[in-house]
């Protein structure tokens, strides 16, 4: 896989392609089954959770966090995203289209007049 370029346009498909290339170069394909990718994803969500575990509530934008904490958070969020993309790819799910469909379903389930300013 080539190096990462700053300012590069990022799409779910470009990430999917880069991850497929990364795994192929390393011969990881046989191990990237849906089950294994899901378990890896769960492990990464656990690592992400650890970052927040004893922080209590935090403000939007994480104003009280040090820069290195934000960098670490970005790395763990990226791990979760990349495993999610690989999992959807291994299952034959177009994650972008599935997400758009889910947004449409949520709009029907929670119409504006009924859900405005409500968490229910």
């Amino acid at each position: 896989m080539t190096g990462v370029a700053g300012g590069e346009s990022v799409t779910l498909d470009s990430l999917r392609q880069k991850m497929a290339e990364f795994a192929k170069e390393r011969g990881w394909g046989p191990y990237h089954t849906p089950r294994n990718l899901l378990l890896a994803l769960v492990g990464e969500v656990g690592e992400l959770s650890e970052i927040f575990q004893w922080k209590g509530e935090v403000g939007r934008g994480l104003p009280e966090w040090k820069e290195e904490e934000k960098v670490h958070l970005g790395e763990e969020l990226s791990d979760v995203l990349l495993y999610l993309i690989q999992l959807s790819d291994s299952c034959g799910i177009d994650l972008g289209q599935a997400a758009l469909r889910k947004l449409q379903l949520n709009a029907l389930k929670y119409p504006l007049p009924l859900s405005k300013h409500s968490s229910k």
Side-chain angles (χ1 to χ4, degrees), residues 18-82:
K18 286 180 185 297
M19 289 306 300
E21 180 183 343
F22 185 87
K24 182 179 179 183
E25 289 173 347
R26 287 155 180 79
W28 292 348
Y31 310 106
H32 282 191
T33 63
R35 177 191 172 275
N36 288 346
L37 291 168
L38 174 62
L39 293 175
L41 173 62
V42 168
E44 293 300 338
V45 169
E47 290 181 24
L48 179 60
S49 298
E50 285 178 351
I51 295 172
F52 287 91
Q53 188 170 12
W54 305 114
K55 295 274 189 194
E57 287 301 321
V58 296
R60 291 180 67 89
L62 311 175
E64 305 297 322
W65 288 33
K66 298 175 187 160
E67 187 58 30
E68 59 265 20
E69 290 176 306
K70 291 180 181 183
V71 168
H72 182 220
L73 175 61
E75 291 168 354
E76 296 306 332
L77 286 167
S78 297
D79 285 340
V80 169
L81 175 63
L82 294 172

Side-chain angles (χ1 to χ4, degrees), residues 77-112:
L77 286 167
S78 297
D79 285 340
V80 169
L81 175 63
L82 294 172
Y83 272 118
L84 181 61
I85 290 169
Q86 289 179 92
L87 175 59
S88 68
D89 188 42
S90 76
C91 293
I93 302 295
D94 181 326
L95 189 57
Q97 289 300 313
L100 288 174
R101 181 175 184 275
K102 184 62 177 177
L103 285 170
Q104 290 171 338
L105 291 172
N106 285 346
L108 294 172
K109 186 175 181 180
Y110 306 105
L112 275 177

